[in-house]
Amino acid sequence: MRLFTFFAASVAAVNALQQQQHPFVVQDYQDSALATFQPDTCPIDTVSCQRSDVDPCCSPKNGLLVLSQQWDTRWGPSDAFTIHGLWPDTCAGKMLPGDGCDSTRSYTNISSIVEATDPALLKELNTFWPSNKGDNNWFWTHEWVKHGTCVTTLHPRCYAHDDYVPQQEVVDYFRSVLALRAKYNVFQALNASGIVPTEPETGRRPKNTYTLTQFKQAIHSAWGVEPNVKCIGRRLQEVQIWFKVRGRDTYYPVDPWGQDTCRLISYQQKSSN
């Protein structure tokens, strides 16, 4: 990420470009670009989507987010869902632009950025956020450009000037998503309710299945909200948990805004381990 320099001429150029692309996303930054942001001035009790007059550095402007954890029998540890992504939506539940929210931060070298700052984080990404197409850097680049750039509290302006390191927000985004996956561990929540992967079966309609209600009740028992559950046919694909945010970055689960695509669910053991 290029660190914005907020002199009037530079701001005007950046504003013109960004207004042309996604004016509804960046307007709050345009209005306050010349101001020096102080993180300690943010109200600590702000909840996303409750007020429109809050600096987007203090509370996410795109304040409804979904954490999607996927179950692919070919990838990841045998006792863990892997990450598909953390996706900000508008407070009305609408998706954001498919090309992201800030073209000036469309980095394509996510692996290098993370490794240079935190090699242990890169190892964790490879374990819990693998691509099912075999190209992790491509996958992480896609998730960062489309979704990470839309987390307004991670805009470079939102860091104290003396503390910001270029591209720091990239590392912070991936670190925060991994932390959410660890806290909202879907595999453990299902296991606690007696829902465990079954032996693989042949055929198009496996007999060993769970119901959508069982999955929803298991997640509700763990965190007090229901998930959205996605399937391809009967095969489990993803479990999605929705969030709002207290303050800048305290995520808490809320009732789902999406649709389920499962009735009977085939949740089979992984074959890669």
Side-chain angles (χ1 to χ4, degrees):
M1 167 62 197
R2 305 179 189 82
L3 180 58
F4 282 79
T5 55
F6 300 115
F7 296 102
S10 298
V11 170
V14 171
N15 286 352
L17 173 64
Q18 292 181 326
Q19 269 190 316
Q20 181 180 5
Q21 293 173 334
H22 306 306
F24 67 92
V25 175
V26 300
Q27 184 63 49
D28 288 333
Y29 292 115
Q30 297 169 9
D31 293 343
S32 54
L34 294 175
T36 300
F37 178 70
Q38 297 295 333
D40 57 2
T41 64
C42 289
I44 61 174
D45 58 347
T46 302
V47 175
S48 62
C49 298
Q50 287 193 353
R51 293 170 54 184
S52 60
D53 61 343
V54 178
D55 190 313
C57 288
C58 293
S59 181
K61 179 179 179 66
N62 307 308
L64 182 65
L65 303 96
V66 58
L67 174 66
S68 189
Q69 299 184 54
Q70 56 189 0
W71 184 259
D72 190 322
T73 58
R74 303 166 298 170
W75 302 95
S78 61
D79 61 349
F81 281 66
T82 57
I83 299 167
H84 188 170
L86 177 69
W87 307 329
D89 283 346
T90 71
C91 291
K94 295 183 179 180
M95 296 177 63
L96 295 169
D99 57 351
C101 298
D102 188 347
S103 62
T104 67
R105 295 187 291 149
S106 296
Y107 307 122
T108 60
N109 60 329
I110 300 300
S111 293
S112 299
I113 292 171
V114 173
E115 185 174 28
T117 302
D118 190 345
L121 180 63
L122 180 63
K123 182 177 180 180
E124 194 174 356
L125 283 172
N126 282 317
T127 299
F128 293 111
W129 203 332
S131 167
N132 60 14
K133 296 182 180 179
D135 187 342
N136 290 351
N137 183 72
W138 177 89
F139 186 29
W140 302 334
T141 294
H142 169 79
E143 292 300 310
W144 164 254
V145 171
K146 184 175 181 180
H147 304 292
T149 60
C150 296
V151 180
T152 63
T153 52
L154 292 179
H155 192 279
R157 187 185 74 82
C158 302
Y159 292 81
H161 177 72
D162 293 339
D163 295 337
Y164 179 75
V165 176
Q167 302 173 339
Q168 178 179 345
E169 71 277 15
V170 175
V171 178
D172 288 345
Y173 171 73
F174 286 99
R175 184 179 288 130
S176 67
V177 180
L178 284 167
L180 275 179
R181 188 217 68 85
K183 183 174 182 179
Y184 296 93
N185 188 315
V186 169
F187 186 91
Q188 290 182 359
L190 295 174
N191 186 72
S193 291
I195 300 177
V196 297
T198 61
E199 293 283 346
E201 294 186 72
T202 58
R204 297 181 64 183
R205 292 185 176 274
K207 296 178 181 178
N208 294 337
T209 58
Y210 296 98
T211 66
L212 176 61
T213 297
Q214 287 175 299
F215 264 67
K216 285 181 170 290
Q217 288 177 341
I219 299 302
H220 190 276
S221 295
W223 301 304
V225 298
E226 291 187 349
N228 285 132
V229 186
K230 305 291 187 178
C231 292
I232 299 177
R234 294 188 180 185
R235 177 173 63 82
L236 176 64
Q237 183 184 25
E238 302 190 358
V239 176
Q240 299 178 340
I241 302 174
W242 293 76
F243 294 88
K244 288 186 177 178
V245 185
R246 291 189 180 93
R248 299 185 70 193
D249 54 11
T250 301
Y251 290 78
Y252 70 95
V254 297
D255 289 331
W257 282 60
Q259 300 294 321
D260 304 304
T261 60
C262 308
R263 294 182 63 188
L264 293 177
I265 300 170
S266 174
Y267 177 33
Q268 296 189 11
Q269 293 175 357
K270 293 192 177 184
S271 58
S272 60
N273 293 280

